[in-house]
Amino acid sequence: SSAEDNENLVPVTVLTGFLGSGKTTLLNHILTATHGKKIAVIENEFGDVGIDDELLQKNSKVQADEEIIEMMNGCICCTVRGDLVVALKNLYSKISQFDAVIIETTGLADPAPVAQTFFVDDDIQAKFSLDAIITALRLDAPPPVSKWQQRDASMPDDR
């Protein structure tokens, strides 16, 4: 049945939000807390500041040159700089044993293409299910300024 098939899929949560919204703070907590869950954290990197390197060094079991780091609490963290579909397929043998996967998008990335990954590729659909998309918000920060607002502010007011 479809419900039974869904139980075998690895649930994936996409975590998104502007730079400074608290995504990395949340992930640092997940990677270091004693919560009894094995969670694979995937950073979908596009040259942004990633998970705190010092935190990873203090809390990881193995220091390796590869991009997968195993944390003391059983979670793993890895960075994906290329095609997310290829990365998920390559990582499946390792992360299929995990309770969940969280994919962090960079502060400038649109989460829609990441979410679409779970609907357009048959192999991914057979192994993973998109569980949620969570947007981190920083409530004390001023609202972001759009490109249009920046352009309008720099234009002389001829009205």
Side-chain angles (χ1 to χ4, degrees), residues 105-126:
T105 65
T106 60
L108 303 175
D110 177 2
V114 175
Q116 287 173 343
T117 299
F118 300 94
F119 300 105
V120 297
D121 187 281
D122 291 339
D123 290 339
I124 296 297
Q125 280 187 321

Side-chain angles (χ1 to χ4, degrees), residues 15 27-28 30-31 39-44 51 67 69 75-80 91 95 98 100-104:
L15 178 61
L27 292 178
N28 284 341
I30 289 168
L31 289 169
I39 299 172
V41 173
I42 298 175
E43 286 189 282
N44 201 14
I51 301 283
E67 295 187 349
I69 299 172
C75 294
I76 63 168
C77 179
C78 71
T79 300
V80 173
L91 291 169
I95 62 180
F98 282 72
V101 174
I102 298 175
I103 299 175
E104 177 195 18

Side-chain angles (χ1 to χ4, degrees), residues 25 29-30 41 59 65 80 83 85 99 107 119 138 148-149:
T25 301
H29 175 74
I30 289 168
V41 173
N59 292 286
D65 291 333
V80 173
D83 186 337
V85 171
D99 297 310
F119 300 105
R138 182 174 164 195
W148 296 108
Q149 289 169 318

